[in-house]
Amino acid sequence: MTDPSLDIDHLRSEGDINISPLRQKWSLQHIDEETQKVLQEDNEVFLHQSLSTPCLNVLEKCEGSYIIDTRGRRLLDFHGNNVHQLGFSHPKVIAAIEQQMASLSFCTRRYTNQVAIDLARKLVSLAPGDLNRVLFAPGGTAAMGMALKLARAATGRHKIISMWDSFHGASLDAISIGGEAIFRSGMGPLLPGCEHVPPPDNRHCPFKCGEKCNLSCSDYVEYVLEKEGDVAAVVAETVRCTPFIPPADYWKRIRKACDRHGALLILDEIPHCLGRTGRMFTCEHYGIVPDMLVIGKGLGGGVFPLAGLLAREELNQAMPHKALGHYTHEKNPVACAAGLAAIEVIETEGLLDHAIDMGEHARKRMQDMATRFPLIGDIRGLGLLMGMELLLDKHTGERAIQEAEAVMYACLNRGLNFKVTMGNILTLTPPITITRDEMDHAMDILEASIAEVSQAM
Ligand SMILES: Cc1ncc(COP(=O)(O)O)c(C=O)c1O
């Protein structure tokens, strides 16, 4: 049960949490006895943590844009942990995996394999600028750790500037640069030299420039770079997956500030690389090239954990006396086959353009809803990385936290799954293979759910 003295709202930054009263109420109403038994087994064997166990429900199947629970309820998945750019179980990805498993299913260290080389070369050919060097890892957090080590090795400095509210993974090094209390608080001393600055979120920005953002937040990054004088890198998500969409000039300014102060720029595009925003890499929208780009999630075709660090040629200097990654699955041929197949599908099926078209269509529908429901404070997005912010008061920016959670459960009841970030932002990240009919169905569900919650207010 929820401890009533616990302030749970500040824990809602990364996603909706599993200890809220509404969650308990929903479970009692919608989870049958058989499913409760499986949830209980999960509860008894897994370590409990916010955002997972105790879990919400039990899945039986996933296919295309849908997850399907053990009672056969189909939910359009606008969450998918952002691995599902191609939806689930894309036949071309599955075929590539099966084919690869039949020959080389693993690659022992000290050896390489053609499919890993092919994926690395493909990524280099797609990446902007001279991001010519690749190192794979079995997950985004690990790849972020490699980026931090390379920044230290290359600059001889250790300080990092990163953003409040950001997420770069849950390990100790990643939470040191991350900016969310749910991961950081009570975890003891974190990495030294990690400083945080406000993210480019004009609605809740401490500089209070509001709608007419004057980029004070980017000036402040330069201010800290100058005061410290020896910062190794600025690390940030190109677009926070909440999402906050930085203004057009934001990254150009940060890029220049990094160059002026000898700091590297490391961009984390783990959740939206390879097409979610309508470009293979999100930094392409901003016309800049970072010194390192970290990708993951969809890179494994929605099946395998696979992430990658792309670095500029001149950063290829950790050899021969330093190891950056050394992960067991560094060149896993099956994961790489899945990644190569996923990229091929994105290219041959024109999914980048489709992501832009579907994103525009969905945002139009949501903007239309915003004219009818005062609860909707803001709609934003880039391609199919979309957010709807629910506010109690547009002028003060007061977050509609209970209402956002209620909308999420109302959507689940109607067959749409997504997560809520920062307590009040409906974060909508469908597969980029989504059809127009599926998108319209999702928007109908969203609209009906917002109407239901608005009426009850
Ligand atoms: C922006 C960002 N960085 C890093 C990570 C960590 O990736 P992984 O869970 O693969 O370790 C995530 C995962 O959600 C993420 O969203």
Side-chain angles (χ1 to χ4, degrees), residues 16-324:
D16 38 281
I17 49 178
N18 52 9
I19 51 172
S20 76
L22 199 53
R23 162 74 168 262
Q24 286 160 25
K25 192 172 157 206
W26 186 86
S27 297
L28 286 174
Q29 286 172 352
H30 295 277
I31 300 298
D32 64 2
E33 232 174 87
E34 281 305 299
T35 311
Q36 286 291 4
K37 278 190 204 148
V38 183
L39 287 171
Q40 187 52 27
E41 278 185 63
D42 177 279
N43 211 12
E44 282 166 13
V45 69
F46 286 110
L47 281 170
H48 289 200
Q49 56 171 343
S50 195
L51 307 164
S52 70
T53 296
C55 284
L56 178 72
N57 196 354
V58 183
L59 291 184
E60 178 99 353
K61 226 177 148 184
C62 57
E63 59 188 14
S65 303
Y66 288 89
I67 48 177
I68 298 140
D69 75 6
T70 43
R71 283 185 50 204
R73 285 184 294 210
R74 293 168 67 81
L75 294 131
L76 273 168
D77 195 2
F78 277 38
H79 177 199
N81 286 50
N82 288 310
V83 304
H84 65 332
Q85 274 90 325
L86 302 189
F88 297 108
S89 311
H90 192 287
K92 289 193 177 144
V93 173
I94 300 294
I97 290 169
E98 283 172 354
Q99 198 184 342
Q100 185 58 44
M101 287 213 299
S103 53
L104 185 70
S105 58
F106 182 72
C107 183
T108 302
R109 198 183 313 286
R110 294 192 289 128
Y111 297 88
T112 190
N113 61 87
Q114 193 61 51
V115 66
I117 296 169
D118 289 347
L119 178 60
R121 291 177 80 148
K122 183 72 194 173
L123 290 169
V124 164
S125 75
L126 294 169
D130 62 340
L131 291 164
N132 288 347
R133 294 282 165 176
V134 180
L135 190 54
F136 292 127
T141 310
M144 287 306 297
M146 299 189 314
L148 295 179
K149 285 168 74 181
L150 181 55
R152 285 184 174 201
T155 62
R157 302 171 173 184
H158 75 281
K159 290 177 190 163
I160 300 287
I161 297 177
S162 58
M163 313 262 160
W164 287 119
D165 296 331
S166 67
F167 181 66
H168 298 289
S171 63
L172 273 175
D173 52 356
I175 62 172
S176 301
I177 57 169
E180 296 180 288
I182 191 165
F183 294 100
R184 293 165 59 87
S185 68
M187 285 295 163
L190 301 177
L191 278 188
C194 295
E195 297 198 26
H196 289 73
V197 296
D201 170 17
N202 64 359
R203 236 164 235 292
H204 304 284
C205 173
F207 298 109
K208 307 229 179 285
C209 41
E211 291 292 316
K212 286 193 220 92
C213 172
N214 62 10
L215 289 173
S216 299
C217 51
S218 68
D219 293 344
Y220 184 62
V221 174
E222 173 133 34
Y223 177 83
V224 179
L225 282 167
E226 190 180 324
K227 290 288 168 199
E228 286 288 0
D230 60 351
V231 170
V234 172
V235 182
E237 296 161 78
T238 317
V239 172
R240 172 73 179 117
C241 213
T242 315
F244 311 143
I245 313 292
D249 279 346
Y250 180 79
W251 285 118
K252 284 202 180 112
R253 288 205 195 192
I254 303 276
R255 174 72 275 182
K256 279 194 193 134
C258 286
D259 291 343
R260 276 195 287 267
H261 298 279
L264 300 173
L265 178 60
I266 302 175
L267 292 181
D268 175 350
E269 300 191 353
I270 289 166
H272 35 81
C273 66
L274 304 185
R276 172 158 301 291
T277 66
R279 299 281 175 92
M280 279 291 183
F281 302 100
T282 311
C283 58
E284 294 171 51
H285 290 280
Y286 291 92
I288 55 127
V289 182
D291 299 291
M292 292 185 229
L293 188 58
V294 186
I295 61 175
K297 299 226 186 222
L299 180 61
V303 182
F304 283 96
L306 179 64
L309 167 63
L310 305 182
R312 294 187 43 217
E313 182 65 38
E314 68 182 56
L315 294 176
N316 183 30
Q317 53 181 251
M319 279 290 287
H321 44 280
K322 289 188 184 72
L324 296 170

